[in-house]
Amino acid sequence: MLELRRSKKSEEKNSKVGADGGDNVQDSDKKEKKPYAQQRPANTALRQQRLKAWHPILTHATVLPLLFGLGTLFAVLGAVLYWSALQVNELTIQYSNCQNEAPQDGSLAPIPSKYFTYRFHSSSKSMYENPPQWSVTPYPPSSGPARFNCTLYFTLPTQMDSGVFLYYKLTNFYQNHRRYMKSMDSMQMLDKPRTADQLQNAECKPLGKDPVSGLSIYPCGLIANSVFNDTFQSPVLLDQNNHPQSIYEMSEKNIIWSGEARRYKTPTYSAKDVVPPPFWQGAEGPFGYPSGRYEEGKIFDPSKNEHFQVWMRTAAFPTFRKLYMRNDTVPMQAGRYSLLIGDNYPVNMFGGTKAIVLTTASWMGGRSFMIGMSHIAVAALCFALGILLTAKQLIKPRRVGDTRFLSWNNPHKQH
């Protein structure tokens, strides 16, 4: 019996020998299972969840000072931000109806008060004694479609310190529409080869291919087709008789975001291969081609036109303003000024308005009270909560750690 048992054990051992004839047994049999106590994570503060932490006890003695402290901090910040916005001087004149309401005989007429707004931190009677005026002059008949030159006359009651910025402002224009925002071809703007069919079948549809000639539209898409084409000249300082005295020079350079120019390249297309967008054909202004076609050497170059680049950066809201000119070094002194506008852009088709905005800037930006008012609103909320909790503690105080409010001590709250 002893020999039989030994033979069975030897057979079992031999059956575990590897197929290569070696004497090593399988790895799973050689490895012994570790004891359960040795399988726990490393004994570190992170692995064992012993990191130091602060567990505040929210009592009236800690919450009330925190609320009043935060309220005071936000009130001070909000007041500073609000005061900074008040220091920004701003003049807005809407000229949408200049063609219809301004006199065309060379005389001047007051602009209705609903069309202009003065926002100067120092009030002056001259803002009301000398309201803005306007006049309009039609383009010569030989220049093509009927367009107008609108001249605005306005008075600055106080000096506008540098920098001074001239914006144009549009209302009810939805550049944030999804179909509109996508209607451009970035490869075409970078002078990458694109056929008319590729443009028409991609994001530029239906303004990728000219239906008459079958040529590519350059630049294609709805954004480029609707580019703002009114023009503004630098304001002219006038004397008491409205005669020109000096020009306040403003630059049309450096009006785009940094890095914006990298999205555009000088085109190498031939004039026989591309056509302007439909709204550019036969139009006046910097984006107008009266013949409806490009000429050799005169194809539109987006890399050299910052106004086009500003327009292609779509706005987030239907009422927006875009920078047109600026002067960063010379203050704009108080006095009477005239501003000549090439009135080319129609706004009646979308029920909107257009205006010029002459403004300065502070260390926090333009004349916007939103940031300051939001800080003041948070401060008011903190003070309101602090006063409410203080009144609650005074009227019906509650001792810290009172066990009477526990559910097992209050049978009415037991579930």
Side-chain angles (χ1 to χ4, degrees):
M1 291 293 292
L2 184 60
E3 294 179 356
L4 180 60
R5 289 176 181 173
R6 289 179 178 176
S7 61
K8 286 184 178 181
K9 289 182 179 180
S10 61
E11 287 177 2
E12 291 177 359
K13 184 176 181 180
N14 293 334
S15 64
K16 295 179 180 180
V17 178
D20 56 352
D23 295 332
N24 296 328
V25 297
Q26 295 180 354
D27 294 339
S28 60
D29 294 325
K30 293 177 67 176
K31 293 181 178 178
E32 294 183 0
K33 221 173 185 182
K34 289 184 179 181
Y36 179 77
Q38 297 181 9
Q39 297 180 19
R40 66 181 183 181
N43 188 19
T44 62
L46 177 63
R47 300 288 294 276
Q48 297 295 336
Q49 300 185 7
R50 294 196 304 268
L51 291 175
K52 293 182 179 180
W54 178 52
H55 301 282
I57 300 176
L58 300 180
T59 65
H60 62 274
T62 58
V63 173
L64 293 180
L66 180 62
L67 285 175
F68 286 113
L70 287 176
T72 303
L73 175 62
F74 276 91
V76 172
L77 289 176
V80 171
L81 294 172
Y82 191 89
W83 175 84
S84 178
L86 283 176
Q87 304 309 304
V88 176
N89 295 324
E90 184 176 286
L91 169 64
T92 302
I93 302 178
Q94 184 189 131
Y95 66 96
S96 307
N97 297 322
C98 183
Q99 299 180 12
N100 303 322
E101 299 183 17
Q104 300 186 15
D105 57 1
S107 61
L108 303 181
I111 300 177
S113 58
K114 62 181 179 180
Y115 292 152
F116 67 89
T117 304
Y118 277 97
R119 293 188 176 93
F120 283 74
H121 65 271
S122 59
S123 59
S124 174
K125 293 182 179 180
S126 60
M127 291 189 296
Y128 310 100
E129 295 174 352
N130 299 310
Q133 298 174 308
W134 58 9
S135 66
V136 65
T137 305
Y139 286 173
S142 59
S143 63
R147 290 292 182 266
F148 300 85
N149 278 328
C150 180
T151 306
L152 304 180
Y153 297 85
F154 56 90
T155 301
L156 294 183
T158 59
Q159 175 177 290
M160 300 180 72
D161 297 330
S162 56
V164 180
F165 305 92
L166 179 66
Y167 294 85
Y168 60 86
K169 177 181 177 181
L170 296 180
T171 63
N172 203 39
F173 193 104
Y174 287 83
Q175 274 198 318
N176 56 359
H177 193 282
R178 184 184 63 86
R179 184 68 186 90
Y180 183 90
M181 295 178 64
K182 295 174 61 179
S183 187
M184 64 168 295
D185 191 278
S186 57
M187 293 294 102
Q188 190 191 46
M189 294 292 96
L190 292 173
D191 196 35
K192 301 292 180 63
R194 304 286 282 171
T195 64
D197 291 334
Q198 288 175 329
L199 296 174
Q200 184 69 8
N201 296 328
E203 302 295 347
C204 282
K205 184 180 181 180
L207 297 181
K209 181 179 180 180
D210 184 55
V212 178
S213 62
L215 300 177
S216 301
I217 296 178
Y218 180 82
C220 70
L222 297 172
I223 309 177
N225 184 57
S226 60
V227 65
F228 187 80
N229 63 344
D230 280 2
T231 59
F232 305 93
Q233 295 187 8
S234 295
V236 179
L237 179 63
L238 307 175
D239 58 18
Q240 296 180 352
N241 298 319
N242 282 343
H243 295 153
Q245 186 174 353
S246 62
I247 299 177
Y248 181 72
E249 295 290 347
M250 302 188 75
S251 174
E252 300 179 28
K253 302 296 183 182
N254 299 322
I255 59 174
I256 58 174
W257 291 8
S258 59
E260 193 74 13
R262 292 179 296 183
R263 302 172 56 190
Y264 305 92
K265 299 286 186 179
T266 300
T268 57
Y269 299 107
S270 174
K272 63 182 180 180
D273 297 330
V274 292
V275 296
F279 284 178
W280 297 21
Q281 300 175 15
E284 296 291 337
F287 303 100
Y289 293 86
S291 65
R293 294 293 299 270
Y294 285 125
E295 300 177 6
E296 287 296 340
K298 295 184 179 180
I299 297 179
F300 175 73
D301 187 355
S303 65
K304 296 180 180 178
N305 194 307
E306 294 190 18
H307 296 301
F308 179 80
Q309 297 174 22
V310 168
W311 180 261
M312 294 296 287
R313 173 67 69 174
T314 54
F317 299 99
T319 297
F320 59 87
R321 61 176 67 174
K322 292 180 181 286
L323 184 60
Y324 193 91
M325 292 190 295
R326 64 189 300 169
N327 187 315
D328 299 316
T329 56
V330 182
M332 192 173 184
Q333 66 184 45
R336 185 76 168 171
Y337 287 86
S338 67
L339 178 66
L340 180 62
I341 302 174
D343 195 351
N344 305 307
Y345 197 74
V347 294
N348 293 330
M349 65 172 61
F350 56 87
T353 62
K354 55 185 179 180
I356 61 106
V357 181
L358 194 65
T359 181
T360 58
S362 66
W363 60 271
M364 61 158 292
R367 189 182 178 89
S368 175
F369 300 101
M370 187 62 188
I371 301 178
M373 292 299 294
S374 62
H375 282 71
I376 294 176
V378 173
L381 179 62
C382 290
F383 282 124
L385 290 176
I387 294 173
L388 181 63
L389 295 178
T390 301
K392 170 66 172 57
Q393 184 64 21
L394 293 176
I395 297 173
K396 190 177 181 182
R398 174 178 174 178
R399 184 169 57 87
V400 178
D402 193 347
T403 59
R404 293 179 302 167
F405 294 93
L406 297 176
S407 60
W408 54 80
N409 291 332
N410 192 345
H412 297 287
K413 293 185 178 181
Q414 292 183 0
H415 298 287

